[in-house]
Amino acid sequence: MLNLPENISRSLRNGLICTLVFFAASLGYALGDASYVTRSKESSGLQLAAHGKLIDLYVDAEDHWGLVRAVGDLQADFEKVTGTQPKLEHSPSKLGKTAVIVGTIGKSALIDRLVSDGKIDVSQVRGKWEAYHIELVDQPVKGLQKALVIAGSDMRGAIFGVYDLSEQIGVSPWHWWADVPATKSSTLWVKNGTRIQDAPKVQYRGIFLNDEAPALTGWVHENYGNYTHEFYVHVFELLLRLKSNFLWPAMWNNAFADDDEQNMILAHKYGIVMSTSHHEPMMRADKEWDRHGEGPWDYARNPDRLDAFWKEGAERNKPYDSIYTIGMRGQADTPMSETEDIGLLEKIVDAQREILTEVFDDRDISEVPQVWALYKEVQGYYESGMRVPDDVILLWCDDNWGNIRRLPTPEERKRVGGAGVYYHFDYVGGPRSYRWTNVTQLAKVWEQMNLADKYDANKIWLTNVGDLKPQELPITYFLDLAWDIDDWPKERIPEYGKLFAESAFGPEHAEAIAELLTGYTRHNARRKPELQDATTYSLLNYREAERIETELAQMVAKAEALYAATPEERKSAFFQLVYYPVKASAAITQMYIAQAKNHLYAAQGRSVTNEYAKLTEKYFDLNKELEDLFHGDATGGKWNHMMSQPRIGYTYWNNPPADMMPAIMLNRPAAVADMGVAVEGMAAAWPAEGNYYALPDFHRYGQDERLIEVFNRGTVPFDFQATASESWIKLSKTSGTIKSQEQVSVSIDWKQVPEGTHRGSILVRGTGWGGARIAVTAHQPKSNDLKGFLEADGYVSIDAANYSSKRDVDGLSWEVIPNLGRTDSSISVYPVGDRSFEDPADAPFVEYDLTLFSSGTVSVETLWNPTWPIAPDRGLRFAIAFDDETPQIVDLHADRAHSLWQESVRTAVRPATTSHEIETAGHHTLRIYMVDPATTLQKIIVNTGGLGDSYLGPEQSLLAP
């Protein structure tokens, strides 16, 4: 079941496997942090474990319940790592000579004593939100020689310090949710001089379990019956281990507080701040109205009952850490009304605020956390002038596709309540739901959340994670950015995947695993699996489908080899985090490419048509086989249902009830010999009448070979001959026997081609009258003064990060965002701020050197990230010019048609096309200017008249030597 695909050569497979050795586990530690725990004996350090003897753990029994519980996890984590459980003491007098001392400042008598005795200085964390202090202390109290002290400014701060140590000794936050085993070690030491102080940058950091049926809900029902506390404690622990604190719970068919009263109680005791989603006001779930509400969900007609319903929610949750969602949408996450009714919504907010004032009569209303989610049409209310009190958090939202719609202006940043962002890794809705697997590039998350940070939308960072399980990598990254995005500048984006891989599987193959993580997410981000079909990648131009197939086959081969080399105890985690998303994502695209070939070959009458019908079915079946493995043998049956979300066969925004086999065509070739000839770039194949058969033109600096395929339309083999009319036309084969089909590669011997345009032909004879005559045209330009990217094949294609030079202005500079984009990296101007340049002459720019062999009118298509106009008074603009021409200022959002937005999120780019006059051939400079911040450029294609249709555009053009 897990064998390499047949189209991967035995030598490649063996070569990969033979170069791998078993994964050697490494000591784990929080991603990006320096390790303060080591396996080696540390001079003047602190021994945590040595050959069965473990250090004592201490926490005051009167400290917060949630912290005492977390220290119990630490005790269990030591046992996972060492095989031995340390003692957990609540009395200092019972400790040995060394200990790990954990406590909350102001709640733990021992911690407070260490502070008052000057043993630890917590002045930099005292009073801060969720801060912790970790320090190795000599002789902290009488009878103790050394102690590792973990002191929290509050309960969660102390808990985060505890879980930081857990990760340092080798226990992954994903030990339960992804079955990442602990890194075994009998010896553990804390390094001498250890002293760490840390605190989060974003106050509320969390996830939203949403769109959770059928996958997560099926799994929950099988294991827990319903979304009860037995389920949620695993979510709470995961969040805390990831140093997060905030949760919107599953709500499609559930109500967190109503399903199980222990849910709310334990969330509070664990330390999780609860809220309800953007359309569920006042801590009442949507389904609670179905169960307990009376009358319509309509405040204009039913205000008294809604007020009572909301007041019950506030009273129920008063004892617990909560953020109260205010405002109102229609039931089931629909608009409240067909038109904006600002007056009614203002009345609703006023009523909700009055309820909170009555319920929380022991404090000022500004001390009760409240949030107004500006989701979809609700943002329109805000833009039309509606406002909420200054202490309410404004939760700006993305477009459900990872593009933040709006961010605070300088004036809005003065609001006391602050702002946050609601983001999506998963979505149900148009233009197409995407719910199955991870489709989000880490670089995209960084690019967007960096904007949020720089525009002070950092009160709440919340992301919709769907079923949770397929999103382990982006969840971890999102929450690490939320803790402190300054720890993770864009230059570290490539490093993150490696660190994630190393934390789960050790360092030996972390880089190779990171390449797979980056590779499959880039592939899925180009076009989400649910949006793909047989037309996505071109079979005719730029060998696009072939290039994608090769890229996917290489990823699958590498995943297979790594899986084979993975120790048994880590195979389940590797399958979940790496193997399944790589191979299953590849299978979807491979299936559609096989379907595309099946349709094309049927139209051309090829006898191999049915083979590609079978190959389409094979990949469709592989999709199900991989799902069954995920639900069964590969994970020990733990994760049944988790990959049950349909992803094949969408015809509109919503998913089909099950994966639907794509339509295939069948051919019944006759028992004859019947030659057909297909030409690269053409859908029609000889002997179809009415067509002029010609290979795409050859250019000296363009694609170095073109393909002709000689195929059989019948079942009886035949011989063929191929003859070139000119000696400079080179054929990879000139004769052969055709059973099904053969490729003939055509290239040019440029040494024989004089300057200028030259024409010839290829005659392919086999069966039929006369044979197929295929025209060949070769262009040999002047080769003097070549500079930069060279025009060929009717275009110049450039990945934006490969600029020739740039100009910075007042510290503003175009810089590379690694790994962002459909084909390579992207560029944007940093640092992000509010400044725009109305005159491009004053602005930062990047330049691209090009050599054009043609003149006249050319068009330039620039491909940008589909970022929204984050400022309310303008779109996002850039300027562009060749040489000394007056720059054209282009507004990427001049046309805000819904259809254009839909296409931009389908294709993951926002294109802009400009027209330019090139007076003479030769060297030219293309310049891209900043006008507004937050414009991010992926690719540039200069069309000189020969650009063909494709999804990604042609590969980057050749650079002059």
Side-chain angles (χ1 to χ4, degrees), residues 374-402:
L374 302 173
Y375 182 73
K376 285 192 174 180
E377 82 289 341
V378 179
Q379 184 178 324
Y381 285 75
Y382 185 90
E383 305 296 6
S384 295
M386 179 176 168
R387 295 295 182 266
V388 293
D390 202 53
D391 58 88
V392 175
I393 303 166
L394 297 182
L395 190 65
W396 299 101
C397 303
D398 69 355
D399 60 357
N400 302 298
W401 291 72

Side-chain angles (χ1 to χ4, degrees), residues 670-683:
V672 297
D674 187 9
M675 183 179 77
V677 180
V679 178
E680 182 173 333
M682 296 184 67

Side-chain angles (χ1 to χ4, degrees), residues 736-906:
T737 300
I738 303 297
K739 294 182 178 178
S740 56
Q741 59 187 26
E742 294 286 342
Q743 287 187 342
V744 178
S745 175
V746 183
S747 59
I748 304 298
D749 183 356
W750 292 105
K751 294 179 181 179
Q752 294 190 48
V753 180
E755 185 179 302
T757 297
H758 303 271
R759 292 177 174 84
S761 63
I762 300 166
L763 179 61
V764 182
R765 290 190 178 94
T767 68
W769 292 98
R773 187 171 297 278
I774 302 156
V776 179
T777 302
H779 301 279
Q780 176 74 283
K782 291 182 179 180
S783 57
N784 298 332
D785 302 322
L786 300 180
K787 186 175 182 180
F789 292 97
L790 305 178
E791 177 194 356
D793 302 335
Y795 64 85
V796 181
S797 178
I798 308 170
D799 290 319
N802 299 320
Y803 51 81
S804 307
S805 61
K806 65 175 181 171
R807 182 183 74 179
D808 301 343
V809 175
D810 297 336
L812 294 172
S813 176
W814 286 91
E815 297 177 4
V816 175
I817 308 172
N819 296 342
L820 176 60
R822 303 192 308 180
T823 55
D824 192 35
S825 298
S826 299
I827 59 172
S828 191
V829 174
Y830 293 99
V832 172
D834 296 305
R835 185 176 179 183
S836 293
F837 291 85
E838 297 304 326
D839 185 352
D842 301 328
F845 61 71
V846 284
E847 288 184 337
Y848 300 87
D849 288 322
L850 303 86
T851 299
L852 301 180
F853 301 110
S854 56
S855 59
T857 302
V858 303
S859 65
V860 179
E861 185 177 54
T862 47
L863 302 179
W864 302 81
N865 262 29
T867 303
W868 277 68
I870 57 174
D873 56 347
R874 57 169 171 77
L876 297 181
R877 298 168 295 170
F878 72 98
I880 183 170
F882 269 103
D883 304 323
D884 296 326
E885 72 176 342
T886 301
Q888 302 179 41
I889 296 179
V890 181
D891 185 346
L892 289 168
H893 303 94
D895 186 344
R896 301 194 184 186
H898 184 66
S899 59
L900 289 182
W901 168 79
Q902 286 186 312
E903 188 61 15
S904 73
V905 295
R906 286 189 192 104

Side-chain angles (χ1 to χ4, degrees), residues 407 413 446-448 450-455 490 811-813 815 817 828-835 870 930 932-936:
L407 286 168
R413 288 170 222 160
W446 182 90
E447 188 252 357
Q448 290 290 295
N450 179 66
L451 294 176
D453 175 61
K454 297 305 180 284
Y455 290 108
K490 61 185 180 302
L812 294 172
S813 176
E815 297 177 4
I817 308 172
S828 191
V829 174
Y830 293 99
V832 172
D834 296 305
R835 185 176 179 183
I870 57 174
M930 172 194 174
D932 295 317
T935 51
T936 299

Side-chain angles (χ1 to χ4, degrees), residues 25 68 117 137 187 202 270 356 363 409 585 764 786 834 924 956:
V68 175
D117 289 348
V137 179
T187 305
V202 176
Y270 267 70
L356 292 174
R363 71 199 75 171
T409 64
S585 298
V764 182
L786 300 180
D834 296 305
H924 294 274
Q956 183 166 267

Side-chain angles (χ1 to χ4, degrees), residues 343-356:
L344 178 60
L345 191 55
E346 288 177 333
K347 183 178 179 181
I348 291 168
V349 171
D350 288 343
Q352 292 167 344
R353 296 269 293 181
E354 181 60 32
I355 290 169
L356 292 174

